[in-house]
Amino acid sequence: MLYTGDPVDAATALSWGLVSQVLKPHALLPAASELARRIGERPPIAAQTAKLNLRAAYSVPLENAIQYERDLQTICFATEDAAEGRSAFAQKRQPHFHGR
């Protein structure tokens, strides 16, 4: 693909792991909305640090990326949202995250 620029059909892209799901056009917006809803229910800081970690994984050596991920985890575990998540789990209720 990189050398030829040849297109790849959806089934091939799925089998190669280039995409995680193949949908009919009418199902795309509902699936994207559901994924956005699921991400939105999670602690904002966790989503932000996951995005930072993915970007770092492509630009730094593996050992540095692993250390960066550990540092980001430490930050996440020290937030108010982490405490809220643990509390909600213990109390068997839905958490209410605030990005702090």
Side-chain angles (χ1 to χ4, degrees), residues 28-42 47:
L28 183 58
L29 187 56
S33 295
E34 172 60 16
L35 179 58
R37 184 196 63 73
R38 289 178 52 213
I39 292 169
E41 289 178 348
R42 305 290 186 234

Side-chain angles (χ1 to χ4, degrees), residues 28-77:
L28 183 58
L29 187 56
S33 295
E34 172 60 16
L35 179 58
R37 184 196 63 73
R38 289 178 52 213
I39 292 169
E41 289 178 348
R42 305 290 186 234
I45 294 169
Q48 292 163 358
T49 57
K51 187 175 180 180
L52 289 170
N53 192 45
L54 281 173
R55 286 185 176 163
Y58 290 106
S59 61
V60 299
L62 178 61
E63 190 171 313
N64 296 47
I66 291 169
Q67 182 58 51
Y68 187 57
E69 181 177 11
R70 288 181 186 141
D71 294 344
L72 292 174
Q73 265 187 345
T74 300
I75 291 167
C76 284
F77 289 146

